Amino acid sequence: MSLASLSAPVLSRIVSLSVAIANHAGKIIRDVLKKGELGIVQKENARDLQTEADRAAQRCIISSLSQCFPKITIIGEEGDEESKQISGKVYDPTPESTIQVTCPPHLASLGEEEIVVWVDPLDGTAEYTQAYECRKSGHQGVCLLDHVTVLIGIASGGKAVGGVIHQPYYNYQNPGSELGRTIWGVVGGTVGGMPIVAPPEGKLIVTTTRSHSSSTVTDAVDAVCPDEVLRVGGAGHKVMLLLEGKAHLYVFASPGCKKWDTCAPEAILQAAGGILTDIKGSPIPYQASVPFRNSTGVLASAPGQNHAFYSAKIPQHVKDNLKA
């Protein structure tokens, strides 16, 4: 591993390496789709899919981080078996591909053994596989590759402290443009990789699930009285909409997402001045020992929004339906 400064705080070095690794994982994801050999398997249900891109990207991320930081705990969406298959998958970035990450004083003394990394190697698998099917059939249907992200979230003491979101297909609708963009952030520090844009005033735009709706989800969204609702895929993509000024709130009153879906987005959003909690307004815990599922949903607000105000608008029956 060749980082610019091995004397930098551990958290700075992990975030810096994660940016480079996420970029490389994005290339793996694009290569798998281009080759058309997705190797799709079903996990918990027909809407919960895994592809060779998920598996290969996770092997790259976990093996590369583990080699450089052997004492950290890493939890990946695709399970332990994928994490063990690391032969030949280590990515060692050049100094030119790493960045300088400033660590706030209160996090500068963290040791490797205090850090838990939550990895979603391909958030938005449904949209990824649908794009493949669309291309294979030759139909010019809706392609939602911008919903796909790579998420590397870093936690300590049960709190999200750093995160990386990579968008492998950023700019895919602009032929000739360079594909991909990576955003990173450290809580109490700064956000890099993009400018933070405020959402429009005088209206309320809410983003929520595209494919996992229910009466509880609908009741929560309706309760905040949105002027517009954006139904999109991927937790990472939804938080990106908050950072890009395209939405004010992310409302998801369902136990459908997991810790690896929210850790990185929460850290970056918080670094930008926003807030991510469960639907009741309580913090989401990220210790390695906690259940993976976010059983009490997700509520996230863009920087400058009154998170407590919108949390109070969520009906009590919605909160009661979501048990920890």
Side-chain angles (χ1 to χ4, degrees):
M1 172 183 172
S2 301
L3 288 178
S5 175
L6 291 176
S7 63
V10 169
L11 179 59
S12 295
R13 289 188 279 129
I14 292 175
V15 173
S16 179
L17 180 62
S18 295
V19 168
I21 293 171
N23 285 331
H24 187 68
K27 181 180 183 300
I28 291 172
I29 290 167
R30 291 192 297 269
D31 287 347
V32 170
L33 185 61
K34 187 175 181 179
K35 292 177 183 176
E37 300 173 358
L38 267 64
I40 300 171
V41 297
Q42 181 176 311
K43 295 195 291 184
E44 293 182 5
N45 54 62
R47 293 185 301 184
D48 188 11
L49 304 176
Q50 182 196 85
T51 71
E52 176 55 28
D54 296 80
R55 297 186 289 271
Q58 174 157 308
R59 289 194 293 266
C60 168
I61 294 167
I62 292 183
S63 61
S64 302
L65 283 172
S66 296
Q67 177 168 283
C68 295
F69 302 100
K71 295 180 182 178
I72 63 176
T73 299
I74 308 176
I75 303 172
E77 178 180 10
E78 309 311 334
D80 291 339
E81 289 308 308
E82 288 306 316
S83 304
K84 293 173 184 175
Q85 300 177 40
I86 64 175
S87 178
K89 301 296 180 180
V90 173
Y91 174 64
D92 187 10
T94 64
E96 293 76 21
S97 66
T98 59
I99 58 168
Q100 293 288 330
V101 176
T102 302
C103 185
H106 73 286
L107 298 173
S109 61
L110 287 179
E112 286 185 36
E113 64 281 355
E114 299 177 83
I115 289 174
V116 179
V117 178
W118 295 89
V119 175
D120 189 340
L122 200 168
D123 187 37
T125 301
E127 288 71 27
Y128 182 75
T129 57
Q130 286 163 18
Y132 164 72
E133 294 296 339
C134 188
R135 291 183 178 187
K136 187 173 73 169
S137 65
H139 294 314
Q140 298 301 312
V142 177
C143 185
L144 302 173
L145 285 170
D146 53 322
H147 294 200
V148 173
T149 59
V150 176
L151 305 176
I152 303 177
I154 302 151
S156 182
K159 298 179 180 180
V161 296
V164 174
I165 298 177
H166 175 69
Q167 298 170 291
Y169 292 99
Y170 179 76
N171 265 338
Y172 84 100
Q173 293 167 315
N174 302 311
S177 300
E178 183 179 358
L179 282 177
R181 176 174 71 167
T182 305
I183 299 89
W184 65 92
V186 176
V187 174
T190 58
V191 174
M194 65 170 286
I196 307 302
V197 180
E201 296 182 5
K203 64 188 301 188
L204 178 64
I205 304 171
V206 169
T207 183
T208 190
T209 181
R210 171 176 169 262
S211 56
H212 295 82
S213 194
S214 66
S215 60
T216 301
V217 170
T218 300
D219 288 349
V221 171
D222 290 346
V224 299
C225 303
D227 297 290
E228 184 179 350
V229 178
L230 305 178
R231 302 184 188 280
V232 303
H237 178 57
K238 293 179 184 74
V239 170
M240 286 303 305
L241 294 179
L242 302 183
L243 296 169
E244 293 173 332
K246 296 176 180 176
H248 301 75
L249 292 178
Y250 164 23
V251 180
F252 186 45
S254 168
C257 70
K258 313 255 180 33
K259 300 296 186 294
W260 45 70
D261 294 311
T262 54
C263 186
E266 177 178 342
I268 296 171
L269 184 61
Q270 191 174 339
I275 298 175
L276 189 150
T277 65
D278 72 5
I279 204 71
K280 304 177 183 183
S282 299
I284 295 175
Y286 293 104
Q287 293 95 337
S289 59
V290 299
F292 295 163
R293 189 176 297 277
N294 291 328
S295 300
T296 46
V298 177
L299 178 66
S301 56
Q305 301 303 302
N306 189 333
H307 190 86
F309 173 77
Y310 291 112
S311 178
K313 281 181 168 286
I314 303 298
Q316 190 59 46
H317 77 271
V318 169
K319 297 176 180 179
D320 291 342
N321 281 345
L322 298 174
K323 302 295 184 182

